[in-house]
Amino acid sequence: MVSSKREENWFGLLSFGFFIMVFALFFIIVPNYGQEVVDFFGDFELQETAPLIFLPAPQQHHPVVYETIAKFCLIFGLFQIVIVVLRFALKSSLSRIAETISNIFLWLGAAYMFNLLFLEVVEWFPFIGGIIAVAGFSLIARSSATLLFSWIRRY
């Protein structure tokens, strides 16, 4: 196991720093991205999804925003693979390893869903359903990893 809580925390700081760096980088390299994001959020209106049920949805397709978010999620998901390898190498706690495995599924799944939205394979509400499914799958991955590691530890 990692010898101290302090050594364990550097993974979180490393991830947060990488997150901020990539987030800012996309605002620098994607032309007019700030305005694209403003336009995206300004485009929401209520849509009737079922009788008397209205939910907010963008009225237009925003390919720059969707593609950029898909790429961000992909990069951050791949970075989480690096983190999990480091966690194994430095013998982090099994719960932290399982958490990072869950993060991999969450970020890569979100990248997949945003790519489907970008390619117009899915519309807004099925996309939201897909993101919820990805979050559920991520929780299942974490639980499964925790159970697997605790089973392996016994033997």
Side-chain angles (χ1 to χ4, degrees):
M1 294 300 214
V2 172
S3 62
S4 74
K5 179 100 170 137
R6 184 178 210 175
E7 290 174 4
E8 189 73 37
N9 288 339
W10 79 267
F11 287 113
L13 291 173
L14 180 63
S15 288
F16 182 67
F18 188 79
F19 180 95
I20 296 297
M21 181 189 71
V22 174
F23 182 82
L25 188 61
F26 276 112
F27 275 91
I28 293 168
I29 63 174
V30 176
N32 204 29
Y33 189 61
Q35 187 58 50
E36 295 284 348
V37 171
V38 168
D39 292 346
F40 169 73
F41 283 110
D43 192 36
F44 276 78
E45 292 183 10
L46 292 178
Q47 281 187 356
E48 188 170 13
T49 58
L52 301 177
I53 298 177
F54 293 86
L55 297 173
Q59 299 305 297
Q60 306 292 321
H61 185 63
H62 296 273
V64 173
V65 173
Y66 304 151
E67 181 182 27
T68 303
I69 294 172
K71 287 178 181 177
F72 174 85
C73 291
L74 177 64
I75 290 168
F76 200 70
L78 293 174
F79 179 73
Q80 292 301 304
I81 293 171
V82 172
I83 294 294
V84 82
V85 168
L86 290 173
R87 284 191 183 280
F88 274 114
L90 297 175
K91 301 182 185 331
S92 286
S93 69
L94 298 180
S95 66
R96 295 289 185 140
I97 292 171
E99 176 185 355
T100 306
I101 290 170
S102 174
N103 290 341
I104 292 167
F105 282 97
L106 181 68
W107 287 104
L108 294 181
Y112 176 74
M113 290 307 303
F114 271 101
N115 194 51
L116 291 179
L117 189 61
F118 164 67
L119 296 173
E120 298 185 75
V121 174
V122 297
E123 293 179 3
W124 184 255
F125 292 114
F127 161 76
I128 296 298
I131 290 292
I132 292 168
V134 164
F137 188 64
S138 173
L139 292 173
I140 291 169
R142 182 178 184 161
S143 298
S144 298
T146 301
L147 289 171
L148 176 66
F149 294 145
S150 65
W151 181 77
I152 290 171
R153 182 188 281 172
R154 281 191 230 159
Y155 298 100

